Amino acid sequence: MSATAGVLAAITVPTNEIPGLLIPAFRDTVIMVGIVMVIVAVVGVPLGAIVHNLAPGGLFENRTLHTPLSWVISIGRSLPFLVLMTSIIPFTRLITGTNIGIPAAVVPMSIAGIAFFTRIVENSLRGVPSSVVAAATAAGGSKVQIIRTAQISEALPSIVGGLTINTIAMIEYSAIAGTIGAGGLGYIAVTYGYQRFDHQVMIATIITLVITVAIIQVVGDALVRFLSPEQSVRSARLPSKV
C-alpha cells in the first residue's frame, strides 16, 4: 500500500455518521432510477409493441422498417453499460450540458434501459396467443385497440415482471454511473469503499443495495401475482367496433 493509500485508509467515517452519508446517497439513487424508469416505461412499451407488430406476422408487418430498428435495439442491448456510458459522453453533454452528476447518468441509463425493456415487451407480446389477437380483429377493433386491449393487456403480467428486472438492472447501472460522479450509492461505494478503503461504508452500502433490490423484487412479484388472475378476464374483453 502506498503512502497516499495509507493516509486515505486512515480517514474512515465514524460508525454513527454512516447513516448520514448513506441516506442522501440512497435518495439520489431513487431519484436517478425513478426518472430513468419513467422514461423507459413510456418509451419502451410502445416501442416494443411497434417492433413486435412490424415483424413477420405482426399487425403491420414491414421487414424494411423492422430489420434496422431491431438492429439498433440489439446494439443498445449488447454494449456493456460502462462502454455505452463513456462512448456517448459528447451526446450526453449536448443533451444535459454536463458529463457528471445525475443528469449525465440519466441519458446513458435511459438508452440502455429502453433497449433492454423494448426486447422484454417484444418477447412478452410474442407470447400472447394468436387466437386472442384473431378474436380482437374479428370483433372489429382498430390496430391501436388490438395492441392496447388484446396484446398489452394479455401480456401485462409478463411486462410488469420485466419492468421489475429492468428496475433492478438500473440500480446496478446507477452504481456504475457513480464512477462519473453521478452521486448515489455507487458514488459512495467508489469514493469511500474503494478509494479510501473504508470497509464499514462499503459493507453498509452493499447491505443497503441488497435490501433495496430484495424489496423491489418482492413488490414486483406481488404485482405479477395480482395481475395474473385477471389475464383470462382481459382476454375475453374484446374491443367494440367503432
Side-chain angles (χ1 to χ4, degrees), residues 35-51:
I35 293 172
V36 168
M37 289 313 299
V38 169
I39 296 172
V40 166
V42 169
V43 178
V45 171
L47 185 57
I50 290 171
V51 174

Side-chain angles (χ1 to χ4, degrees), residues 66-242:
H66 177 265
T67 300
L69 183 58
S70 183
W71 270 102
V72 169
I73 293 170
S74 295
I75 291 172
R77 275 191 59 201
S78 62
L79 289 177
F81 180 67
L82 186 59
V83 174
L84 173 66
M85 183 175 63
T86 54
S87 64
I88 65 168
I89 284 178
F91 176 72
T92 300
R93 190 183 295 116
L94 177 66
I95 297 297
T96 65
T98 181
N99 59 353
I100 60 173
I102 291 178
V106 166
V107 174
M109 286 175 63
S110 296
I111 293 174
I114 289 169
F116 184 47
F117 190 55
T118 296
R119 284 302 188 204
I120 289 176
V121 173
E122 180 189 9
N123 289 332
S124 298
L125 296 180
R126 194 176 294 157
V128 174
S130 58
S131 59
V132 174
V133 177
T137 303
S142 66
K143 288 182 172 59
V144 173
Q145 286 178 314
I146 294 170
I147 292 171
R148 180 173 55 84
T149 62
Q151 292 182 343
I152 293 178
S153 181
E154 178 72 15
L156 192 58
S158 178
I159 291 173
V160 171
L163 194 64
T164 302
I165 296 172
N166 207 331
T167 302
I168 293 172
M170 291 305 102
I171 292 176
E172 297 172 359
Y173 288 178
S174 73
I176 298 174
T179 59
I180 62 169
L185 294 171
Y187 177 76
I188 296 298
V190 170
T191 303
Y192 292 87
Y194 177 73
Q195 294 180 351
R196 299 187 182 183
F197 305 99
D198 193 328
H199 300 299
Q200 287 192 112
V201 173
M202 178 63 85
I203 292 172
T205 302
I206 291 172
I207 292 173
T208 303
L209 285 170
V210 169
I211 292 174
T212 301
V213 168
I215 291 173
I216 291 172
Q217 188 66 62
V218 168
V219 172
D221 290 345
L223 285 173
V224 171
R225 286 194 300 270
F226 174 76
L227 292 168
S228 294
E230 299 295 323
Q231 191 168 1
S232 59
V233 176
R234 287 194 304 271
S235 298
R237 190 181 304 150
L238 301 177
S240 59
K241 189 172 182 178
V242 291

Side-chain angles (χ1 to χ4, degrees), residues 51-63 130 133 151:
V51 174
H52 170 70
N53 286 293
L54 284 173
L59 292 176
F60 33 85
E61 178 180 342
N62 189 319
R63 292 175 180 270
S130 58
V133 177
Q151 292 182 343

